[in-house]
Amino acid sequence: MPRAVALVAYVQVAAGIGALCVMDGLVKYLALRHGVPLTTFARYGSGVLIALGVWQWQGRPGLAPGGLRAHVLRGSLIAAMALLFFWALTLLSLALALTLAFVGPLLVPPLAALFLKERMQPRFVLAGVIGFGGVVVAAGGVPDLAGTRLLAVAAAVGAAFLYALSALVLRARAASDGATVITLMGAGVPALILSPTLISAGPVGAHDLALMLATGLVGNIGVQLIARGYVHLEAQASAVMEFTGLPWAALLGWMLFAEPVAPTTIVGAMIIAAACLWATRPEPAAVKAPPAPVP
């Protein structure tokens, strides 16, 4: 793969992760006001409306053969993941919740080797371990698992595992279905699963309704960017870029919820940046064997 194409793909994935972090900040605000089930449905319900417009504008592309079952599986994983992670957001800081969610990228290389038959590359595995080390530094150590936060911690880790599985399905379908179809199905299936939450929904003001629409817009932009990057990257390569979400989470937590940014967060972010830059370096060219002598 040309170096320029790979760099663009890495930038797309990193930008998509940043967009999803902005969405997480909006979701946390809305979930504290309207509850997790309604907020989760709003994110994917509004995402469907926006994705349908893009799908129509793109000429209504169809699913590739065999895609429906994969997207139903991915959408079900997304719905369960979102409920768990969004609930954890209401009890934990953005940075801490994302720290726990970083278990997911560490799971991607072995799962990709198992299900997608990708060869596990040591540099991606090591970069993931270094990136997670930066996350632990940024969090100020291993999170406290005592007290009422225990269930929230377990929910965030469970969401990370579901995210890793959904990322594999996304990687497997990215090239055949395209970003537009992936975004539409990734919002449509969870919205359908979560639609019963509307039965007990209370009134929503115009301001919060606009923010709910914004979660769908920003979330769809994030998925579009990530899907476009995944076309050119192996799952284990793009998984390392997940760690770029920590600086975004720290910044948004400070801006929106007055969550302090400790010096360790800055040091951890530098470690993460180093791991990501190392993972994106080109592989050394294979040394060609000298031609056999002519008898």
Side-chain angles (χ1 to χ4, degrees):
M1 183 198 313
R3 174 65 170 164
V5 173
L7 285 176
V8 170
Y10 280 117
V11 170
Q12 287 175 323
V13 173
I17 291 165
L20 294 182
C21 287
V22 174
M23 182 201 72
D24 288 340
L26 294 172
V27 164
K28 177 170 182 172
Y29 172 81
L30 291 167
L32 290 171
R33 292 168 60 83
H34 300 284
V36 173
L38 178 60
T39 301
T40 307
F41 170 79
R43 180 267 175 264
Y44 294 105
S46 60
V48 169
L49 297 177
I50 296 167
L52 278 173
V54 176
W55 177 74
Q56 179 72 29
W57 179 62
Q58 293 284 348
R60 297 186 292 181
L63 280 173
L68 182 59
R69 182 179 300 179
H71 286 293
V72 169
L73 171 61
R74 177 172 172 260
S76 301
L77 291 171
I78 289 173
M81 173 206 69
L83 286 172
L84 287 173
F85 186 69
F86 292 166
W87 179 72
L89 280 179
T90 64
L91 300 175
L92 304 173
S93 69
L94 273 173
L96 178 55
L98 204 63
T99 297
L100 296 166
F102 282 141
V103 173
L106 296 178
L107 297 174
V108 169
L111 290 176
L114 179 62
F115 293 109
L116 301 181
K117 307 306 179 184
E118 290 185 0
R119 179 177 62 85
M120 286 186 65
Q121 299 189 38
R123 68 190 181 108
F124 291 138
V125 176
L126 183 57
V129 173
I130 294 173
F132 187 73
V135 168
V136 173
V137 171
V142 178
D144 180 14
L145 302 183
T148 57
R149 298 197 303 173
L150 177 59
L151 288 178
V153 167
V157 173
F161 178 73
L162 295 176
Y163 178 82
L165 293 176
S166 68
L168 293 184
V169 182
L170 171 59
R171 174 64 184 86
R173 301 302 307 178
S176 55
D177 290 328
T180 299
V181 171
I182 284 174
T183 304
L184 176 59
M185 296 299 293
V189 175
L192 183 62
I193 293 173
L194 297 166
S195 58
T197 60
L198 291 174
I199 297 174
S200 58
V204 178
H207 176 263
D208 285 359
L209 183 61
L211 292 180
M212 288 179 176
L213 291 172
T215 62
L217 175 61
V218 176
N220 282 15
I221 290 173
V223 174
Q224 279 265 345
L225 289 169
I226 292 173
R228 292 178 188 277
Y230 270 28
V231 172
H232 303 289
L233 300 174
E234 294 184 21
Q236 56 189 312
S238 52
V240 177
M241 303 305 294
E242 299 284 347
F243 297 110
T244 60
L246 177 63
W248 283 105
L251 176 63
L252 292 168
W254 173 70
M255 291 177 59
L256 300 177
F257 306 104
E259 297 169 356
V261 179
T264 52
T265 300
I266 300 174
V267 175
M270 294 173 65
I271 295 174
I272 291 167
C276 292
L277 288 173
W278 185 61
T280 58
R281 81 192 196 287
E283 290 191 83
V287 179
K288 294 183 179 180
V294 179

